[in-house]
Short mmCIF file of all heavy atoms in Angstrom, two decimals:
data_model
loop_
_atom_site.label_atom_id
_atom_site.label_comp_id
_atom_site.label_asym_id
_atom_site.label_seq_id
_atom_site.Cartn_x
_atom_site.Cartn_y
_atom_site.Cartn_z
N GLN A 365 3.67 -13.74 73.32
CA GLN A 365 3.96 -12.41 73.82
C GLN A 365 5.05 -12.53 74.86
O GLN A 365 4.80 -12.98 75.98
CB GLN A 365 2.67 -11.80 74.41
CG GLN A 365 2.72 -10.33 74.65
CD GLN A 365 2.53 -9.51 73.38
OE1 GLN A 365 2.11 -10.02 72.37
NE2 GLN A 365 2.86 -8.24 73.45
N TYR A 395 18.05 -6.14 79.45
CA TYR A 395 18.02 -4.68 79.41
C TYR A 395 16.60 -4.28 79.11
O TYR A 395 15.98 -4.80 78.17
CB TYR A 395 18.98 -4.17 78.33
CG TYR A 395 19.21 -2.69 78.37
CD1 TYR A 395 19.98 -2.11 79.38
CD2 TYR A 395 18.67 -1.86 77.40
CE1 TYR A 395 20.18 -0.75 79.43
CE2 TYR A 395 18.88 -0.50 77.44
CZ TYR A 395 19.65 0.06 78.46
OH TYR A 395 19.85 1.40 78.51
N LEU A 397 13.49 -1.12 79.01
CA LEU A 397 13.25 0.30 78.76
C LEU A 397 11.76 0.60 78.88
O LEU A 397 10.92 -0.26 78.62
CB LEU A 397 13.73 0.69 77.36
CG LEU A 397 15.14 0.31 76.95
CD1 LEU A 397 15.19 -1.06 76.29
CD2 LEU A 397 15.73 1.35 75.99
N TYR A 399 9.01 3.48 77.35
CA TYR A 399 8.76 4.54 76.40
C TYR A 399 7.37 5.09 76.65
O TYR A 399 6.46 4.38 77.06
CB TYR A 399 8.83 4.02 74.95
CG TYR A 399 10.22 3.73 74.44
CD1 TYR A 399 10.85 2.51 74.73
CD2 TYR A 399 10.91 4.65 73.66
CE1 TYR A 399 12.12 2.24 74.26
CE2 TYR A 399 12.18 4.39 73.18
CZ TYR A 399 12.77 3.19 73.49
OH TYR A 399 14.04 2.91 73.02
N LYS A 401 4.21 7.34 74.79
CA LYS A 401 3.76 7.68 73.45
C LYS A 401 2.46 8.47 73.51
O LYS A 401 1.47 8.02 74.08
CB LYS A 401 3.56 6.42 72.61
CG LYS A 401 3.23 6.70 71.15
CD LYS A 401 3.08 5.41 70.38
CE LYS A 401 2.82 5.69 68.90
NZ LYS A 401 1.62 6.48 68.65
N PRO A 403 -0.65 10.21 71.17
CA PRO A 403 -1.30 9.85 69.90
C PRO A 403 -0.63 10.52 68.71
O PRO A 403 -0.22 11.68 68.79
CB PRO A 403 -2.73 10.36 70.09
CG PRO A 403 -2.94 10.40 71.55
CD PRO A 403 -1.61 10.76 72.15
N ALA A 404 -0.49 9.79 67.64
CA ALA A 404 0.06 10.29 66.37
C ALA A 404 1.51 10.74 66.48
O ALA A 404 1.99 11.49 65.62
CB ALA A 404 -0.80 11.42 65.81
N GLU A 405 2.21 10.32 67.52
CA GLU A 405 3.64 10.61 67.63
C GLU A 405 4.40 9.31 67.86
O GLU A 405 3.82 8.30 68.24
CB GLU A 405 3.91 11.56 68.79
CG GLU A 405 3.33 12.94 68.60
CD GLU A 405 3.75 13.89 69.71
OE1 GLU A 405 4.61 13.53 70.53
OE2 GLU A 405 3.19 15.00 69.74
N GLY A 406 5.70 9.36 67.64
CA GLY A 406 6.52 8.19 67.92
C GLY A 406 6.79 8.05 69.41
O GLY A 406 6.63 9.00 70.18
N PRO A 407 7.18 6.86 69.85
CA PRO A 407 7.51 6.65 71.27
C PRO A 407 8.72 7.49 71.68
O PRO A 407 9.67 7.62 70.91
CB PRO A 407 7.83 5.15 71.34
CG PRO A 407 7.23 4.55 70.12
CD PRO A 407 7.29 5.61 69.08
N THR A 408 8.66 7.99 72.90
CA THR A 408 9.76 8.78 73.46
C THR A 408 10.40 7.99 74.60
O THR A 408 9.69 7.54 75.51
CB THR A 408 9.24 10.12 74.00
OG1 THR A 408 8.59 10.82 72.95
CG2 THR A 408 10.38 10.97 74.55
N PHE A 409 11.71 7.84 74.57
CA PHE A 409 12.42 7.11 75.61
C PHE A 409 12.28 7.82 76.95
O PHE A 409 12.43 9.05 77.05
CB PHE A 409 13.90 6.98 75.25
CG PHE A 409 14.76 6.46 76.37
CD1 PHE A 409 14.66 5.15 76.78
CD2 PHE A 409 15.64 7.30 77.03
CE1 PHE A 409 15.44 4.67 77.81
CE2 PHE A 409 16.43 6.83 78.06
CZ PHE A 409 16.32 5.52 78.46
N SER A 412 15.57 3.53 81.53
CA SER A 412 15.95 2.14 81.28
C SER A 412 16.61 1.55 82.52
O SER A 412 16.97 2.27 83.46
CB SER A 412 16.92 2.06 80.09
OG SER A 412 18.11 2.77 80.37
N PHE A 452 4.90 2.12 77.05
CA PHE A 452 5.34 0.82 76.54
C PHE A 452 6.55 0.35 77.31
O PHE A 452 7.52 1.10 77.51
CB PHE A 452 5.69 0.89 75.06
CG PHE A 452 4.52 1.11 74.16
CD1 PHE A 452 4.23 2.36 73.65
CD2 PHE A 452 3.71 0.04 73.81
CE1 PHE A 452 3.15 2.56 72.81
CE2 PHE A 452 2.63 0.23 72.97
CZ PHE A 452 2.34 1.49 72.48
N SER A 456 15.38 -6.17 75.73
CA SER A 456 16.31 -6.73 74.76
C SER A 456 17.24 -7.71 75.46
O SER A 456 17.41 -7.68 76.68
CB SER A 456 17.12 -5.64 74.06
OG SER A 456 17.99 -4.99 74.96
N ARG A 458 21.06 -9.84 75.43
CA ARG A 458 22.45 -9.74 74.98
C ARG A 458 22.71 -10.88 74.00
O ARG A 458 22.45 -12.04 74.30
CB ARG A 458 23.40 -9.83 76.16
CG ARG A 458 24.85 -9.61 75.76
CD ARG A 458 25.74 -9.58 76.98
NE ARG A 458 25.57 -8.36 77.75
CZ ARG A 458 26.14 -7.19 77.46
NH1 ARG A 458 26.92 -7.10 76.40
NH2 ARG A 458 25.95 -6.15 78.21
N SER A 461 26.28 -9.90 68.81
CA SER A 461 26.57 -8.59 68.22
C SER A 461 26.25 -7.45 69.17
O SER A 461 26.26 -6.30 68.78
CB SER A 461 25.76 -8.42 66.93
OG SER A 461 24.38 -8.54 67.19
N GLY A 462 25.95 -7.78 70.42
CA GLY A 462 25.64 -6.72 71.38
C GLY A 462 24.30 -6.97 72.03
O GLY A 462 24.19 -7.80 72.91
N TYR A 463 23.29 -6.25 71.60
CA TYR A 463 21.94 -6.45 72.12
C TYR A 463 21.00 -6.75 70.97
O TYR A 463 21.17 -6.24 69.87
CB TYR A 463 21.44 -5.21 72.87
CG TYR A 463 21.92 -5.15 74.29
CD1 TYR A 463 23.06 -4.44 74.62
CD2 TYR A 463 21.25 -5.83 75.30
CE1 TYR A 463 23.51 -4.40 75.93
CE2 TYR A 463 21.70 -5.79 76.61
CZ TYR A 463 22.83 -5.08 76.91
OH TYR A 463 23.28 -5.05 78.19
N SER A 464 20.01 -7.57 71.25
CA SER A 464 18.98 -7.86 70.25
C SER A 464 18.12 -6.62 70.06
O SER A 464 18.17 -5.67 70.84
CB SER A 464 18.11 -9.03 70.71
OG SER A 464 17.34 -8.65 71.84
N THR A 465 17.32 -6.65 69.02
CA THR A 465 16.36 -5.56 68.85
C THR A 465 15.31 -5.63 69.95
O THR A 465 15.15 -6.64 70.61
CB THR A 465 15.70 -5.65 67.48
OG1 THR A 465 15.11 -6.95 67.34
CG2 THR A 465 16.73 -5.45 66.38
N LEU A 466 14.61 -4.52 70.13
CA LEU A 466 13.66 -4.43 71.25
C LEU A 466 12.38 -5.20 70.97
O LEU A 466 11.86 -5.19 69.86
CB LEU A 466 13.31 -2.97 71.51
CG LEU A 466 14.44 -2.06 71.97
CD1 LEU A 466 13.90 -0.66 72.21
CD2 LEU A 466 15.08 -2.59 73.22
N THR A 467 11.88 -5.86 72.02
CA THR A 467 10.56 -6.47 72.00
C THR A 467 9.67 -5.65 72.92
O THR A 467 10.03 -5.42 74.08
CB THR A 467 10.63 -7.93 72.49
OG1 THR A 467 11.51 -8.67 71.65
CG2 THR A 467 9.25 -8.57 72.45
N PHE A 468 8.53 -5.22 72.39
CA PHE A 468 7.64 -4.33 73.12
C PHE A 468 6.43 -5.05 73.66
O PHE A 468 5.94 -6.02 73.06
CB PHE A 468 7.15 -3.21 72.19
CG PHE A 468 8.16 -2.13 71.93
CD1 PHE A 468 9.13 -2.29 70.95
CD2 PHE A 468 8.15 -0.94 72.65
CE1 PHE A 468 10.07 -1.31 70.70
CE2 PHE A 468 9.08 0.05 72.40
CZ PHE A 468 10.04 -0.13 71.43
N GLY A 469 5.89 -4.55 74.77
CA GLY A 469 4.57 -4.93 75.22
C GLY A 469 3.52 -4.16 74.45
O GLY A 469 3.83 -3.31 73.61
N LYS A 470 2.24 -4.43 74.76
CA LYS A 470 1.15 -3.78 74.03
C LYS A 470 0.82 -2.41 74.56
O LYS A 470 0.03 -1.68 73.96
CB LYS A 470 -0.10 -4.67 74.07
CG LYS A 470 0.04 -5.95 73.27
CD LYS A 470 -1.28 -6.70 73.18
CE LYS A 470 -1.13 -7.92 72.31
NZ LYS A 470 -2.42 -8.63 72.11
N GLY A 471 1.39 -2.05 75.68
CA GLY A 471 1.18 -0.72 76.21
C GLY A 471 0.08 -0.62 77.25
O GLY A 471 -0.84 -1.43 77.30
N ARG B 919 4.68 12.33 56.86
CA ARG B 919 4.08 11.97 58.14
C ARG B 919 2.78 11.19 57.92
O ARG B 919 2.42 10.36 58.74
CB ARG B 919 3.80 13.21 58.97
CG ARG B 919 5.04 13.96 59.43
CD ARG B 919 5.84 13.19 60.50
NE ARG B 919 4.99 12.59 61.51
CZ ARG B 919 4.49 13.25 62.55
NH1 ARG B 919 4.74 14.52 62.71
NH2 ARG B 919 3.73 12.62 63.44
N HIS B 920 2.09 11.50 56.86
CA HIS B 920 0.84 10.81 56.56
C HIS B 920 0.79 10.49 55.08
O HIS B 920 1.21 11.30 54.25
CB HIS B 920 -0.37 11.68 56.91
CG HIS B 920 -0.44 12.07 58.35
ND1 HIS B 920 0.14 13.21 58.83
CD2 HIS B 920 -1.01 11.44 59.42
CE1 HIS B 920 -0.08 13.29 60.13
NE2 HIS B 920 -0.77 12.23 60.51
N ARG B 941 23.18 2.74 63.70
CA ARG B 941 22.12 1.74 63.55
C ARG B 941 20.81 2.43 63.25
O ARG B 941 20.48 3.47 63.84
CB ARG B 941 21.99 0.88 64.81
CG ARG B 941 23.05 -0.20 64.89
CD ARG B 941 22.66 -1.29 65.83
NE ARG B 941 23.62 -2.40 65.77
CZ ARG B 941 23.53 -3.51 66.45
NH1 ARG B 941 22.52 -3.68 67.29
NH2 ARG B 941 24.43 -4.46 66.33
N TYR B 943 16.57 1.45 62.50
CA TYR B 943 15.55 0.41 62.66
C TYR B 943 14.23 0.87 62.03
O TYR B 943 13.90 2.05 62.05
CB TYR B 943 15.27 0.15 64.15
CG TYR B 943 16.47 -0.12 65.00
CD1 TYR B 943 17.28 0.93 65.46
CD2 TYR B 943 16.80 -1.41 65.39
CE1 TYR B 943 18.38 0.68 66.26
CE2 TYR B 943 17.90 -1.67 66.19
CZ TYR B 943 18.68 -0.62 66.63
OH TYR B 943 19.77 -0.86 67.43
N TYR B 945 10.15 -0.15 62.53
CA TYR B 945 9.13 -0.84 63.27
C TYR B 945 7.78 -0.48 62.68
O TYR B 945 7.63 0.55 62.00
CB TYR B 945 9.13 -0.42 64.76
CG TYR B 945 10.19 -1.06 65.61
CD1 TYR B 945 11.51 -0.62 65.57
CD2 TYR B 945 9.87 -2.08 66.50
CE1 TYR B 945 12.48 -1.20 66.37
CE2 TYR B 945 10.83 -2.67 67.31
CZ TYR B 945 12.13 -2.22 67.23
OH TYR B 945 13.09 -2.80 68.03
N GLN B 947 3.58 -0.18 63.87
CA GLN B 947 2.65 -0.22 64.99
C GLN B 947 1.22 -0.12 64.49
O GLN B 947 0.90 0.79 63.71
CB GLN B 947 2.91 0.91 65.98
CG GLN B 947 2.03 0.80 67.22
CD GLN B 947 2.30 1.84 68.25
OE1 GLN B 947 2.96 2.85 67.99
NE2 GLN B 947 1.81 1.63 69.45
N GLY B 950 -3.62 -0.73 69.22
CA GLY B 950 -3.72 -1.68 70.32
C GLY B 950 -2.51 -2.58 70.48
O GLY B 950 -2.50 -3.48 71.33
N GLN B 951 -1.51 -2.35 69.65
CA GLN B 951 -0.28 -3.16 69.72
C GLN B 951 0.91 -2.28 70.03
O GLN B 951 0.89 -1.08 69.78
CB GLN B 951 -0.04 -3.88 68.39
CG GLN B 951 -1.16 -4.80 67.96
CD GLN B 951 -1.30 -6.00 68.85
OE1 GLN B 951 -0.32 -6.57 69.34
NE2 GLN B 951 -2.55 -6.40 69.12
N GLY B 952 1.96 -2.91 70.55
CA GLY B 952 3.20 -2.20 70.67
C GLY B 952 3.94 -2.20 69.34
O GLY B 952 3.55 -2.93 68.41
N PRO B 953 5.00 -1.43 69.22
CA PRO B 953 5.79 -1.45 68.00
C PRO B 953 6.33 -2.85 67.72
O PRO B 953 6.79 -3.54 68.63
CB PRO B 953 6.93 -0.47 68.30
CG PRO B 953 6.38 0.45 69.34
CD PRO B 953 5.48 -0.41 70.18
N PHE B 955 9.01 -5.10 65.40
CA PHE B 955 10.25 -4.96 64.65
C PHE B 955 10.08 -5.46 63.21
O PHE B 955 9.50 -6.53 62.96
CB PHE B 955 11.35 -5.77 65.35
CG PHE B 955 12.61 -5.94 64.55
CD1 PHE B 955 13.46 -4.86 64.38
CD2 PHE B 955 12.92 -7.14 63.97
CE1 PHE B 955 14.63 -5.01 63.66
CE2 PHE B 955 14.07 -7.30 63.24
CZ PHE B 955 14.94 -6.23 63.08
N TYR B 958 16.56 -3.95 60.63
CA TYR B 958 17.50 -2.93 61.04
C TYR B 958 18.79 -3.00 60.22
O TYR B 958 19.13 -4.04 59.65
CB TYR B 958 17.77 -2.97 62.55
CG TYR B 958 18.89 -3.86 63.03
CD1 TYR B 958 20.19 -3.37 63.20
CD2 TYR B 958 18.63 -5.18 63.38
CE1 TYR B 958 21.19 -4.18 63.69
CE2 TYR B 958 19.64 -5.99 63.87
CZ TYR B 958 20.92 -5.49 64.02
OH TYR B 958 21.93 -6.30 64.51
N GLU B 966 19.22 -7.72 59.97
CA GLU B 966 18.15 -8.60 60.43
C GLU B 966 16.84 -8.17 59.80
O GLU B 966 16.58 -6.98 59.65
CB GLU B 966 18.05 -8.56 61.95
CG GLU B 966 17.11 -9.61 62.54
CD GLU B 966 17.10 -9.62 64.07
OE1 GLU B 966 18.03 -9.05 64.68
OE2 GLU B 966 16.17 -10.18 64.66
N MET B 999 1.17 2.62 61.50
CA MET B 999 2.19 3.65 61.64
C MET B 999 3.55 2.97 61.47
O MET B 999 3.81 1.97 62.13
CB MET B 999 2.11 4.33 63.01
CG MET B 999 3.24 5.34 63.23
SD MET B 999 3.21 6.11 64.85
CE MET B 999 2.39 7.64 64.49
N LEU B 1001 7.40 3.25 62.02
CA LEU B 1001 8.30 3.99 62.90
C LEU B 1001 9.75 3.69 62.53
O LEU B 1001 10.13 2.54 62.35
CB LEU B 1001 8.07 3.56 64.35
CG LEU B 1001 6.75 3.96 64.97
CD1 LEU B 1001 6.45 3.11 66.20
CD2 LEU B 1001 6.78 5.44 65.35
N PRO B 1008 25.90 -1.30 69.92
CA PRO B 1008 26.23 -1.64 71.31
C PRO B 1008 27.71 -1.50 71.63
O PRO B 1008 28.07 -1.13 72.75
CB PRO B 1008 25.77 -3.10 71.44
CG PRO B 1008 24.68 -3.21 70.43
CD PRO B 1008 25.08 -2.33 69.29
N THR B 1009 28.56 -1.76 70.65
CA THR B 1009 30.00 -1.62 70.91
C THR B 1009 30.39 -0.17 71.13
O THR B 1009 31.47 0.12 71.63
CB THR B 1009 30.83 -2.21 69.76
OG1 THR B 1009 30.39 -1.60 68.55
CG2 THR B 1009 30.66 -3.71 69.67
N GLY B 1012 25.55 1.94 72.65
CA GLY B 1012 24.16 2.23 72.32
C GLY B 1012 23.22 1.11 72.68
O GLY B 1012 23.08 0.13 71.95
N ASN B 1013 22.56 1.23 73.82
CA ASN B 1013 21.54 0.26 74.20
C ASN B 1013 20.14 0.82 74.03
O ASN B 1013 19.18 0.07 74.10
CB ASN B 1013 21.70 -0.14 75.67
CG ASN B 1013 23.00 -0.87 75.90
OD1 ASN B 1013 23.54 -1.48 74.98
ND2 ASN B 1013 23.51 -0.82 77.10
N THR B 1014 20.02 2.10 73.82
CA THR B 1014 18.71 2.76 73.74
C THR B 1014 18.46 3.21 72.32
O THR B 1014 19.35 3.77 71.67
CB THR B 1014 18.68 3.97 74.67
OG1 THR B 1014 18.92 3.53 76.01
CG2 THR B 1014 17.33 4.68 74.60
N ILE B 1015 17.27 2.92 71.81
CA ILE B 1015 16.93 3.41 70.48
C ILE B 1015 15.97 4.57 70.60
O ILE B 1015 15.16 4.64 71.54
CB ILE B 1015 16.38 2.30 69.57
CG1 ILE B 1015 14.99 1.84 69.97
CG2 ILE B 1015 17.32 1.11 69.53
CD1 ILE B 1015 14.38 0.89 68.96
N TYR B 1016 16.09 5.50 69.68
CA TYR B 1016 15.31 6.73 69.69
C TYR B 1016 14.45 6.76 68.43
O TYR B 1016 14.96 6.60 67.33
CB TYR B 1016 16.24 7.95 69.75
CG TYR B 1016 17.06 7.97 71.02
CD1 TYR B 1016 18.29 7.34 71.09
CD2 TYR B 1016 16.56 8.58 72.17
CE1 TYR B 1016 19.02 7.33 72.27
CE2 TYR B 1016 17.28 8.59 73.35
CZ TYR B 1016 18.51 7.95 73.39
OH TYR B 1016 19.22 7.93 74.56
N PHE B 1017 13.17 6.98 68.65
CA PHE B 1017 12.21 6.91 67.56
C PHE B 1017 11.95 8.26 66.92
O PHE B 1017 12.01 9.31 67.57
CB PHE B 1017 10.87 6.37 68.06
CG PHE B 1017 10.88 4.88 68.32
CD1 PHE B 1017 11.24 4.39 69.55
CD2 PHE B 1017 10.53 3.99 67.32
CE1 PHE B 1017 11.25 3.03 69.79
CE2 PHE B 1017 10.53 2.63 67.55
CZ PHE B 1017 10.89 2.15 68.79
N GLY B 1018 11.57 8.21 65.65
CA GLY B 1018 11.01 9.36 64.97
C GLY B 1018 9.53 9.48 65.27
O GLY B 1018 8.97 8.69 66.05
N GLU B 1019 8.88 10.44 64.64
CA GLU B 1019 7.47 10.68 64.91
C GLU B 1019 6.54 9.75 64.15
O GLU B 1019 5.34 9.75 64.37
CB GLU B 1019 7.13 12.14 64.62
CG GLU B 1019 7.85 13.09 65.57
CD GLU B 1019 7.27 14.49 65.53
OE1 GLU B 1019 6.68 14.86 64.51
OE2 GLU B 1019 7.42 15.21 66.53
N GLY B 1020 7.10 8.95 63.25
CA GLY B 1020 6.29 7.96 62.57
C GLY B 1020 5.67 8.47 61.28
O GLY B 1020 5.49 9.67 61.07
N TRP B 1022 2.26 7.65 59.10
CA TRP B 1022 0.98 6.95 59.07
C TRP B 1022 0.65 6.55 57.64
O TRP B 1022 0.67 7.37 56.73
CB TRP B 1022 -0.15 7.88 59.55
CG TRP B 1022 -0.33 7.93 61.00
CD1 TRP B 1022 0.00 8.93 61.85
CD2 TRP B 1022 -0.95 6.92 61.82
NE1 TRP B 1022 -0.35 8.62 63.13
CE2 TRP B 1022 -0.94 7.38 63.14
CE3 TRP B 1022 -1.49 5.66 61.55
CZ2 TRP B 1022 -1.46 6.64 64.20
CZ3 TRP B 1022 -2.01 4.92 62.60
CH2 TRP B 1022 -1.98 5.42 63.91
#
Side-chain angles (χ1 to χ4, degrees):
Chain A
Q365 195 78 15
Y395 191 72
L397 308 90
Y399 286 83
K401 186 179 183 301
E405 294 186 9
T408 302
F409 170 70
S412 62
F452 291 101
S456 67
R458 185 175 288 279
S461 59
Y463 277 95
S464 68
T465 55
L466 296 181
T467 301
F468 284 83
K470 292 188 176 184
Chain B
R919 294 290 317 279
H920 300 90
R941 281 200 173 181
Y943 308 80
Y945 280 78
Q947 185 177 15
Q951 301 293 322
F955 169 73
Y958 89 93
E966 189 176 344
M999 176 182 262
L1001 292 161
T1009 53
N1013 295 335
T1014 300
I1015 71 172
Y1016 297 89
F1017 285 89
E1019 294 194 336
W1022 275 107

